[in-house]
Amino acid sequence: MCEFFRNKVVLVTGAAGSVGQELVRRLLSAKPAEVRALDNNETELFFLGERYRETHNLSIHLGDVRRLDKLEDVCQGVDIIFHAAAFKHVGLSEYHPFDAVQTNILGVENVIRAAIRQGVARILFTSSDKAVNPTNVMGTTKLIGERLITAAILVNRGSPRRFASVRFGNVIGSRGSVLSIFAEQIQRGGPVTITDPEMTRFFMTREEAVQLLLKACVMTCGGEVFVTKMPVMRIQDLATAMIDLLAPA
C-alpha cells in the first residue's frame, strides 16, 4: 500500500490534530514527493514542523479551510487530499452551530472546489459515526459533508477524480475523546458525566483510523462511504471500568 503514495504530493488538512499528525507520520514513511500539512492551529503546526525539521518532503501551511483562496494556492500540484480539518466536539457545535457550518460544511465545499480547479485526483473526507441518523449539529454537518463529496462525483461524472468519505468512531487517544474526558474527571475526583447510561460508542485507535483512511484512498472508485468493524461498548460500562482502573484508592 505504501507504494501507492510514493512520489505523490499529498495535502493533509487538520494536520495538527491527533489523527492528522499520525497520518502525516505514516505518509512520510511511504516516501511521497511531498506532504503538505495545513492547519489553523499555529502552535501545534509549529511543533509538527519542528518534529520533522530534518525531513525534506514536509511543508507546513498555516491556514483555514474556510478560505477558498488559500486552499486553491496550497492545492496546486497536489495528487491526493486527506480532509481531516473539522469542528468535532458535539457540545461546542450545539452552542456554536454557525461556526460548525462554516468549517464542517462550507469548508468541505471549499476543499472540493479547490481540488476540482487544481485537478486533484483523489479526496478522502473524514466523517463520523455520528453522521448516521444525526441527532446533533456536529453529526448533521458531517452527514452534509458526506453528501457534498458524493455530489462532487455526480456533477463531475466521467471525470477521473475519485472522492470518498471515511467514517470514524471514537478515536482512542485523540484530544477531547470520551476516554480523555472521563480520565480527567476521575483524576479530579468526579463526577463522571454521562448523558445516557444506555448510550453506546464505537472505538478505534489512531493507528486504525489512519490505516482505514489509507486503504480507502487506494481502494476507492469514487462516492463510497467507508466504514470498518469497530468494537462497541455501553458508555456506562466504559465509565465503570475507567473508575475501577483510575480512581484513587
Side-chain angles (χ1 to χ4, degrees):
M1 185 169 63
C2 288
E3 284 295 323
F4 182 82
F5 300 98
R6 192 180 300 275
N7 298 323
K8 297 283 201 313
V9 178
V10 185
L11 169 64
V12 179
T13 72
S18 303
V19 171
Q21 291 188 38
E22 177 64 17
L23 181 56
V24 167
R25 185 188 71 80
R26 287 288 301 276
L27 286 169
L28 288 173
S29 70
K31 296 181 170 46
E34 183 185 3
V35 175
R36 298 179 186 175
L38 174 72
D39 207 290
N40 62 2
N41 187 328
E42 177 196 15
T43 300
E44 290 296 331
L45 196 63
F46 169 78
F47 287 131
L48 179 66
E50 288 297 296
R51 188 176 310 133
Y52 298 104
R53 177 189 284 271
E54 305 303 321
T55 304
H56 71 280
N57 56 347
L58 174 69
S59 60
I60 298 298
H61 301 266
L62 182 63
D64 199 303
V65 295
R66 297 184 183 190
R67 284 186 53 197
L68 179 57
D69 59 335
K70 177 70 178 186
L71 284 169
E72 289 185 347
D73 287 342
V74 81
C75 281
Q76 291 184 34
V78 166
D79 299 301
I80 300 167
I81 298 175
F82 289 100
H83 179 39
F87 283 176
K88 66 177 184 177
H89 296 291
V90 173
L92 282 176
S93 294
E94 289 298 303
Y95 285 106
H96 303 281
F98 291 100
D99 293 282
V101 166
Q102 288 287 326
T103 295
N104 292 4
I105 297 177
L106 299 183
V108 176
E109 181 187 5
N110 286 340
V111 170
I112 292 169
R113 291 189 183 280
I116 291 173
R117 290 175 185 175
Q118 298 297 343
V120 178
R122 299 189 184 215
I123 293 181
L124 271 293
F125 168 59
T126 58
S127 186
S128 166
D129 57 358
K130 295 178 181 65
V132 182
N133 299 322
T135 58
N136 53 60
V137 170
M138 196 282 279
T140 302
T141 60
K142 284 295 188 179
L143 177 59
I144 296 175
E146 290 182 4
R147 298 295 172 85
L148 288 172
I149 291 292
T150 303
I153 292 292
L154 295 176
V155 300
N156 288 275
R157 193 180 298 277
S159 166
R161 298 185 185 92
R162 300 183 183 183
F163 299 168
S165 302
V166 175
R167 282 182 183 163
F168 289 167
N170 198 279
V171 180
I172 298 171
S174 65
R175 284 168 293 185
S177 72
V178 66
L179 276 81
S180 61
I181 291 171
F182 280 0
E184 184 176 340
Q185 290 176 339
I186 292 166
Q187 289 165 2
R188 291 202 310 260
V192 175
T193 56
I194 297 174
T195 306
D196 185 336
E198 297 304 314
M199 181 188 299
T200 58
R201 288 285 183 91
F202 292 92
F203 291 94
M204 62 198 317
T205 64
R206 278 187 296 180
E207 293 76 15
E208 288 170 339
V210 169
Q211 182 70 7
L212 176 59
L213 269 174
L214 297 177
K215 287 182 69 174
C217 183
V218 174
M219 294 170 57
T220 181
C221 294
E224 306 94 339
V225 178
F226 289 90
V227 184
T228 190
K229 290 183 178 179
M230 293 174 278
V232 63
M233 182 179 293
R234 265 197 341 143
I235 206 74
Q236 178 69 62
D237 296 337
L238 173 65
T240 300
M242 291 189 67
I243 290 169
D244 291 342
L245 182 66
L246 299 176

